[in-house]
Amino acid sequence: MLPHHQKSLGRDWTTPWENLQRCCWNRHISSCMRWPGHYSRAPYPYFSSRHFSLNWRPPCLFESRTPFQYWNWRPDNLSQTSLIHLSSYIMNSEGDEPSSKRRKHQGTIQRHWEYICNHNKDKTKILGDKNVDPKCEDSDNKFDFSVMSYNILSQDLLEDNSHLYRHCRRPVLHWSFRFPNILKEIKHFDADVLCLQEVQEDHYGAEIRPSLESLGYHCEYKMRTGRKPDGCAICFKHSKFSLLSVNPVEFYRRDVPLLDRDNVGLVLLLQPRVPRAACPVVCVANTHLLYNPRRGDIKLTQLAMLLAEISSVAHQKDGSFCPIIMCGDFNSVPGSPLYSFIKEGKLNYEGLAIGKVSGQEQSSRGQRILSIPIWPPNLGISQNCVYEVQQLPKVEKTDSDLTQTELDKTEVLVTAEKLSSNLQHHFSLSSVYSHYFPDTGIPEVTTCHSRSAITVDYIFYSAEKEDVARQPGAEVALVGGLKLLARLSLLTEQDLWTVNGLPNENNSSDHLPLLAKFRLEL
């Protein structure tokens, strides 16, 4: 439950939405508004103090009863209990960096475990560290394991985009400094499964893989298909899983002009090591989707290709799906159409601009409307994000025996089917993170550099059985299902700038590692 009173966050303030709606400054509010992740459908807006004096104090706002005469903006999806975040960032002029980005003394960011207690189907409670044993435990009827998703920042990409790291001291950007820190984090969190993005090939072969193998991991790697020498890796502990299959996914297709980018994915099928003879397997997927904010058509197609591979790998003989974990850098913000499609299992993209798919694009560019269908039939993937099986019907008469009317009807039916603007997938996926802090409404961030601080990294997982019926896509059964036990807390943008953003002396990527603990009921 969000609080209904104003609250101080250092030099920041939060207040309920209805208070601000009743009493606000006598100016056009939409001119001073920005949204987390640069997306207008995000649940909580920011009001930057570049538009207000820092000498302002909340009573000036909330004691006044002057109606807001220019009020002509109201998002449909903003609830009456939402909070407004009044940021303390100071912008002196257009193009200046916030004062909070100016180099600070170096410190250590503090993250803690948030333990999830499911009291019933309708309530989830976050518990403190003291209430729950932090260790994963196995028994005859349960299998606990942890998963980390981490974009470790390829050194080549860092050097090619050095303008993003002007706030950093030069020494902290060297690979010789960064890799020991990254390895230290991996050792500290000791996850059973690692999903790594931006893994540079030469570093993987010379340092990353040998180091992880010495820690008891088995490593699988898929490099990008173009000239960029990085890719995705999934590593798992021998002591927890055995490998059943490795399924790389290449998003580049020479025969499909739309798919001219070299991003990749990787899907593994893992068998938990438990004494029971019959145990559900687990499908783990990892990807790094295209960054370009203006090419939502490519992002959606890449996602559809990954989902089709997951469907193929996770499909069981009885028609159900095994539990699924899908990690990665999706280059999309919470609340965006792409994010909503993953969680809700459906998307009607008719009239949707390609620059709005991922929620990153603010400019007028990328306003071309998505074509229907987005990808051509020769890709071999249906609008349900599964591989199409070419089935030849029983032929009772040849083409020459068909009348012209019958041919016309057949053509119309095929065209109508392919022109559907509805995408679907049959997994009931939840996000490990809620993407904003429940007590303040301030967004969590997973990446932070000189240009932006937003959420683009996720761990999605298939819900346990009792939760499936309440979610879209529930028509497809799951074997087992996963229960979220705990997650490593994320931070706000302001938290990260207190240690000079990312990377810094202790955190050597421009992304934070995401970490979750799951339970598989046997």
Side-chain angles (χ1 to χ4, degrees):
M1 186 71 176
L2 295 175
H4 287 271
H5 56 276
Q6 65 200 40
K7 192 169 184 179
S8 173
L9 299 170
R11 294 177 66 186
D12 290 8
W13 293 86
T14 60
T15 183
W17 171 256
E18 63 268 24
N19 288 354
L20 187 59
Q21 181 180 356
R22 289 195 301 265
C23 316
C24 198
W25 291 272
N26 188 18
R27 63 175 295 143
H28 197 298
I29 201 165
S30 63
S31 68
C32 57
M33 185 172 297
R34 71 178 179 90
W35 294 86
H38 312 295
Y39 188 57
S40 61
R41 290 173 56 187
Y44 296 102
Y46 277 153
F47 293 91
S48 175
S49 60
R50 64 179 288 192
H51 304 282
F52 317 120
S53 169
L54 284 179
N55 294 324
W56 173 87
R57 288 294 179 265
C60 299
L61 169 63
F62 303 117
E63 292 176 0
S64 170
R65 295 298 172 189
T66 305
F68 184 53
Q69 62 180 343
Y70 295 113
W71 188 262
N72 64 354
W73 175 90
R74 178 184 179 89
D76 294 334
N77 64 338
L78 194 60
S79 70
Q80 293 297 311
T81 57
S82 300
L83 294 177
I84 299 303
H85 176 216
L86 304 177
S87 174
S88 65
Y89 291 164
I90 309 169
M91 300 289 283
N92 296 322
S93 63
E94 190 68 27
D96 282 358
E97 288 188 341
S99 63
S100 55
K101 290 189 182 181
R102 295 170 191 164
R103 186 166 295 163
K104 306 290 179 67
H105 69 278
Q106 294 306 305
T108 303
I109 56 176
Q110 299 295 325
R111 301 177 66 184
H112 61 275
W113 282 101
E114 298 174 337
Y115 292 92
I116 314 299
C117 179
N118 293 308
H119 295 286
N120 52 50
K121 294 182 181 180
D122 301 318
K123 288 188 177 180
T124 298
K125 185 178 180 181
I126 308 299
L127 301 178
D129 288 4
K130 298 180 181 179
N131 297 1
V132 181
D133 184 354
K135 295 182 180 179
C136 292
E137 298 179 351
D138 298 337
S139 67
D140 291 340
N141 60 357
K142 65 182 181 182
F143 177 79
D144 292 357
F145 64 100
S146 54
V147 176
M148 174 188 282
S149 182
Y150 195 5
N151 182 326
I152 64 173
L153 181 56
S154 159
Q155 190 66 22
D156 277 11
L157 291 178
L158 182 155
E159 293 169 4
D160 289 345
N161 298 277
S162 58
H163 60 283
L164 299 178
Y165 311 106
R166 292 172 181 164
H167 62 284
C168 300
R169 294 177 55 246
R170 295 300 97 189
V172 307
L173 299 179
H174 297 156
W175 178 249
S176 59
F177 179 90
R178 294 176 54 233
F179 178 62
N181 270 355
I182 293 170
L183 188 61
K184 181 180 177 181
E185 282 185 291
I186 291 174
K187 286 181 179 179
H188 173 73
F189 292 120
D190 195 31
D192 299 313
V193 179
L194 305 174
C195 292
L196 306 178
Q197 305 89 41
E198 290 194 24
V199 180
Q200 195 162 303
E201 183 190 27
D202 56 344
H203 294 156
Y204 174 75
E207 299 173 86
I208 299 173
R209 179 173 181 172
S211 298
L212 294 180
E213 287 179 341
S214 71
L215 298 176
Y217 289 98
H218 174 92
C219 302
E220 295 292 339
Y221 178 69
K222 175 58 183 174
M223 193 177 78
R224 288 163 69 173
T225 51
R227 292 178 294 177
K228 300 291 185 182
D230 68 280
C232 295
I234 301 179
C235 312
F236 61 90
K237 286 188 176 179
H238 290 287
S239 60
K240 298 287 286 190
F241 296 95
S242 58
L243 180 63
L244 298 182
S245 69
V246 181
N247 308 273
V249 186
E250 296 181 355
F251 298 143
Y252 173 80
R253 287 283 297 267
R254 184 174 298 177
D255 58 333
V256 180
L258 174 68
L259 295 172
D260 59 352
R261 309 305 167 94
D262 55 13
N263 306 83
V264 295
L266 186 60
V267 183
L268 301 190
L269 193 63
L270 302 179
Q271 177 72 63
R273 292 187 184 274
V274 294
R276 294 183 51 161
C279 174
V281 295
V282 178
C283 178
V284 179
N286 184 24
T287 193
H288 189 177
L289 299 185
L290 176 70
Y291 164 74
N292 191 336
R294 298 182 296 278
R295 292 309 303 268
D297 50 347
I298 298 178
K299 296 189 188 199
L300 278 174
T301 306
Q302 291 180 346
L303 176 61
M305 295 172 73
L306 180 68
L307 292 171
E309 187 64 27
I310 293 173
S311 178
S312 176
V313 172
H315 191 266
Q316 306 291 288
K317 292 181 180 179
D318 62 357
S320 63
F321 291 97
C322 70
I324 296 162
I325 295 174
M326 186 170 69
C327 302
D329 181 343
F330 290 82
N331 274 314
S332 301
V333 301
S336 66
L338 188 144
Y339 172 89
S340 299
F341 173 52
I342 293 174
K343 286 197 64 178
E344 297 174 9
K346 58 185 179 180
L347 174 66
N348 185 343
Y349 60 86
E350 183 177 3
L352 180 62
I354 62 173
K356 300 299 182 183
V357 168
S358 65
Q360 299 165 289
E361 181 62 30
Q362 275 191 313
S363 72
S364 58
R365 297 177 298 175
Q367 298 307 305
R368 178 169 60 85
I369 303 301
L370 285 168
S371 61
I372 303 177
I374 299 174
W375 57 82
N378 64 321
L379 181 59
I381 295 177
S382 73
Q383 299 292 289
N384 290 328
C385 298
V386 296
Y387 291 124
E388 291 181 320
V389 179
Q390 299 296 330
Q391 294 180 338
L392 296 176
K394 294 182 180 179
V395 178
E396 297 183 355
K397 50 184 176 180
T398 64
D399 291 344
S400 59
D401 295 329
L402 293 174
T403 65
Q404 185 60 42
T405 302
E406 290 172 323
L407 288 172
D408 291 342
K409 287 181 179 179
T410 302
E411 184 177 352
V412 168
L413 288 173
V414 171
T415 302
E417 180 183 357
K418 291 184 178 180
L419 287 181
S420 171
S421 61
N422 293 300
L423 294 182
Q424 289 183 318
H425 68 76
H426 298 301
F427 311 124
S428 181
L429 298 176
S430 299
S431 174
V432 163
Y433 290 92
S434 56
H435 314 308
Y436 60 90
F437 290 89
D439 56 338
T440 64
I442 299 175
E444 301 169 333
V445 300
T446 66
T447 180
C448 179
H449 50 65
S450 295
R451 289 287 181 89
S452 68
I454 56 176
T455 286
V456 294
D457 307 278
Y458 303 93
I459 300 177
F460 296 104
Y461 68 101
S462 52
E464 61 181 342
K465 281 184 178 179
E466 58 262 34
D467 292 333
V468 171
R470 300 186 294 111
Q471 302 190 20
E475 66 275 6
V476 177
L478 289 167
V479 174
L482 297 170
K483 175 183 287 186
L484 177 63
L485 298 179
R487 63 194 179 204
L488 188 65
S489 66
L490 288 172
L491 302 168
T492 68
E493 178 179 3
Q494 187 170 4
D495 292 334
L496 289 172
W497 284 117
T498 62
V499 292
N500 201 41
L502 296 173
N504 57 51
E505 269 75 0
N506 298 296
N507 309 93
S508 286
S509 173
D510 58 349
H511 292 248
L512 293 172
L514 279 56
L515 192 60
K517 296 178 181 179
F518 296 102
R519 172 166 295 166
L520 176 63
E521 302 289 347
L522 304 178

